[in-house]
Amino acid sequence: VQHYGVMAVSPGRGSYHRRHHRTSYHHGDLANALADAATEMARTGGPNAIVLRAAARAAGVSAAAAYRHFADHDELLQEVRRRALDSLAAAMRRSLDEEEPLADPAEESLRRLRALGRAYIRFALEDPGLFRTAFCRPDNPVPDAAKRMATQGPYALLSGVLDELVEHGVLDADRRAGAEIPAWASVHGLATLLIDGPLAQITPEEQARAVERSSDFMLNGIKGHRDPVA
Amino acid sequence: VQHYGVMAVSPGRGSYHRRHHRTSYHHGDLANALADAATEMARTGGPNAIVLRAAARAAGVSAAAAYRHFADHDELLQEVRRRALDSLAAAMRRSLDEEEPLADPAEESLRRLRALGRAYIRFALEDPGLFRTAFCRPDNPVPDAAKRMATQGPYALLSGVLDELVEHGVLDADRRAGAEIPAWASVHGLATLLIDGPLAQITPEEQARAVERSSDFMLNGIKGHRDPVA
DNA sequence: TGTACATCAGTGAACGCGCGTTCACTGATGTAC
DNA sequence: TGTACATCAGTGAACGCGCGTTCACTGATGTAC
């Protein structure tokens, strides 16, 4: 077997260039290498920063080679999107076990809800580019993505904890249906306002306070009201 | 005075082409014509659809002419952004007087809060491109925009109604500070999930239900809790 | 174990596109006298 | 009221760029015999 020398390719100029030690003519795992590079671009500059040619450059491969693994630019973007959503879900899942569980089951389920929200916000603040990619408008909306999210993504995690809240009497069963949406909306809105919107300008301390205030308000909304005004 | 014939310019090919009856060599109001065209593009395709050359084409003018009125592409985008935010604020302001005021002042202020939220969502659903432009990430963040929003934009309207809620005993005074953020976040999050996110796939009926559910939850959060679990 | 061959994953050059921006220019406008 | 001239808002051609995508191709791989 004749091997090409390592790095025997034209010097990459993209800032995302990661040398993938090519030891043979065939790359071996080009699909993943391209997705890795594209993900790195998204991390830095959001969905618009994903450039197929640059990804190929970063992988040390001609642009045309990318078309062996992705039908077109959009398919590459969708792959990055999928990864971003997976990362977000993973971060949320991890957050559930980061703190000590509380003895009282009701309080414990509230703690878990808070943890999910905080992980969501934290992800958005730490990786705004990836976060924006996860929720970027797809060129041709693929309902599959929504399905996946519903069964194993952030939505499913939220659903599970809301079920726990019902189980332990925090959330009335008759207010359970569709409760994912308000909860998700409030945390998602806060995240986007913090990274893209006017709240991006405020200090980190103010941001932290805003996060706490928002979860308090939303938890109040979840818990329901005993003495409604209207 | 020698006049050029109306439409004595090369036929525009852009889909946004609006013939501006040019009766003289000088346009007369090119800055606005460009902003109009750019706004129309944003309406159709969001901030990324704003193309300086196309705007010039639509205004029946050479691309270079645009540079008499805007320093660069970003300045044109910012102008569209400004307009979009103004439109949103105007829609919200109008919404306050669309329904009959309620006799009870507490209920009336809650009605007004709901009206603001609904107008916000309605704007996003009816004009998603403009909405996304209003909140698009600016190339070079100009703190001025945040200032303007705070004094006369959506934020100010929300602030005013929250003050009313305190005045009429719906919102405790000691929970007032910073309450804009959770309220805004929840409605903003719902809007973005509805137009870009997974909620874009559900039926209009489900969407309407989601909007109602969300405002109920948020209003509960605003009103506070008498019998907290934690 | 060695070889012919189908298959597959790369290459590199090219195409067409349209963008943002700059330049030297020219036609129109309004003002000072 | 008429005219010279500074100023201003346009023109049109060009530059450089880098993109997504296609094409005919070639080198490497693995399998059947």
Side-chain angles (χ1 to χ4, degrees), chain A residues 20 27 29-38 55 59 83:
Chain A
H20 282 258
H27 183 286
D29 194 18
L30 186 50
N32 269 313
L34 290 168
D36 285 348
R83 287 167 165 230

Side-chain angles (χ1 to χ4, degrees), chain B residues 19-171:
Chain B
R19 187 65 63 215
H20 282 257
H21 313 286
R22 262 235 264 174
T23 56
S24 73
Y25 182 85
H26 283 186
H27 183 286
D29 194 17
L30 184 51
N32 269 312
L34 290 169
D36 285 349
T39 302
E40 206 50 46
M41 294 173 209
R43 201 187 298 280
T44 309
N48 289 340
I50 296 179
V51 173
L52 186 142
R53 292 182 77 110
R57 245 176 274 139
V61 124
S62 76
Y67 289 85
R68 294 280 166 206
H69 303 274
F70 297 96
D72 55 17
H73 175 268
D74 192 54
E75 202 168 294
L76 177 60
L77 191 159
Q78 294 311 321
E79 170 60 17
V80 176
R81 195 173 130 87
R82 205 187 53 73
R83 286 167 168 232
L85 277 169
D86 283 353
S87 296
L88 171 58
M92 290 170 72
R93 222 173 288 120
R94 259 181 277 119
S95 80
L96 289 175
D97 302 317
E98 264 168 11
E99 293 173 319
E100 277 306 296
L102 300 177
D104 181 62
E107 287 188 22
E108 167 64 6
S109 52
L110 278 170
R111 182 195 67 78
R112 288 163 66 82
L113 182 59
R114 281 193 114 103
L116 286 186
R118 253 199 284 266
Y120 198 96
I121 301 284
R122 205 191 310 145
F123 184 91
L125 287 175
E126 285 177 2
D127 246 330
L130 228 46
F131 181 83
R132 285 196 279 131
T133 306
F135 292 100
C136 73
R137 187 187 189 68
D139 283 10
N140 33 4
V142 48
D144 168 59
K147 281 268 165 53
R148 282 192 61 262
M149 183 125 60
T151 60
Q152 45 183 302
Y155 187 88
L157 290 163
L158 176 58
S159 255
V161 174
L162 288 178
D163 286 342
E164 296 174 23
L165 286 169
V166 173
E167 198 177 328
H168 300 121
V170 183
L171 173 60

